[in-house]
Amino acid sequence: MINVYIDKLKRHYEQYFGISGIVHKIGKGPINKLDPEFFILEFPPNQIHNMYTYCTVGMSLNRWNENLIELFIYAAEKNSLLVDLLCYCASYHRNDAPLNLHHTVNLGQPWLGESLCDHGFISFPYLEKPEFEQIDIDHKTIKCFWYIPITKAERDFKIEFGYDALETIFEEKELNYLSPKRASLI
């Protein structure tokens, strides 16, 4: 039997991007907390974006509480490490204190390569059209939020001054969200 949540969410992403996503099933890492149907969809450059987009499918599956979210991340090029990164975030979301909008995550290692970005910030999907942000499944609203790799200094700034202040800095200084080599904006 096809899981309605998985099927509708996958279809939502594919209709939005106008192409079929490449399914990445997770076979290692912190998978014991994840639903067996969980996977990551990879979208290569398409009619919406000239970059890769990786999306979780099933992060909030069978978690019918107030934190019904799925995450996505952008990349300048194909990179399987982003599948692992989203898997770790999805696993963390299955803890007693699940992730939500404006939360930060400590990766414990660089986002990619020797990046200074070793944390993540969960934000609105500002680069997407409004219809991308949410999908209703079984009378529940699932939100699709942007996972932005950030530095520890940016995370500390957000904690001290709030997420609005951090997002203002990102906008004013034109955050290069695709570059693992970017400098901290704080």
Side-chain angles (χ1 to χ4, degrees):
M1 182 173 150
I2 296 175
N3 185 302
V4 172
Y5 183 106
I6 296 292
D7 186 53
K8 283 189 173 183
L9 186 58
K10 182 177 186 284
R11 200 170 9 172
H12 172 74
Y13 288 138
E14 291 181 338
Q15 287 175 348
Y16 181 80
F17 290 112
I19 59 173
S20 294
I22 299 164
V23 174
H24 293 275
K25 288 293 256 180
I26 310 304
K28 60 180 181 170
I31 60 173
N32 58 328
K33 294 180 191 173
L34 300 173
D35 191 280
E37 294 193 51
F38 172 84
F39 59 90
I40 305 294
L41 272 180
E42 172 192 308
F43 293 94
N46 54 68
Q47 65 187 9
I48 301 293
H49 294 300
N50 190 24
M51 60 188 158
Y52 283 81
T53 308
Y54 292 84
C55 307
T56 63
V57 179
M59 183 169 146
S60 290
L61 182 62
N62 299 321
R63 259 193 95 84
W64 296 112
N65 61 20
E66 69 281 352
N67 293 36
L68 301 176
I69 68 169
E70 298 289 333
L71 297 177
F72 67 92
I73 189 170
Y74 300 118
E77 55 193 37
K78 183 180 182 99
N79 194 318
S80 63
L81 293 176
L82 298 176
V83 172
D84 294 340
L85 182 148
L86 288 176
C87 178
Y88 285 110
C89 289
S91 177
Y92 185 87
H93 181 64
R94 306 296 282 205
N95 290 329
D96 291 336
L99 298 173
N100 211 341
L101 183 62
H102 303 130
H103 286 185
T104 53
V105 178
N106 183 348
L107 298 177
Q109 64 185 34
W111 156 41
L112 292 173
E114 296 180 18
S115 177
L116 295 177
C117 299
D118 57 359
H119 288 71
F121 173 64
I122 299 173
S123 182
F124 281 112
Y126 291 114
L127 303 182
E128 305 304 335
K129 296 175 187 169
E131 64 266 21
F132 179 79
E133 183 184 337
Q134 71 181 38
I135 178 172
D136 294 323
I137 302 173
D138 290 338
H139 308 291
K140 302 286 185 178
T141 299
I142 314 308
K143 298 283 192 166
C144 300
F145 291 139
W146 182 10
Y147 180 92
I148 304 172
I150 62 172
T151 66
K152 181 181 182 310
E154 292 163 346
R155 191 276 322 250
D156 293 347
F157 181 87
K158 179 243 169 192
I159 290 170
E160 185 172 350
F161 299 104
Y163 70 87
D164 280 332
L166 180 61
E167 288 183 336
T168 298
I169 295 276
F170 287 168
E171 188 174 344
E172 289 174 352
K173 295 187 177 184
E174 298 180 3
L175 171 69
N176 184 353
Y177 51 86
L178 291 177
S179 175
K181 296 180 180 180
R182 75 170 180 85
S184 179
L185 299 182
I186 304 300

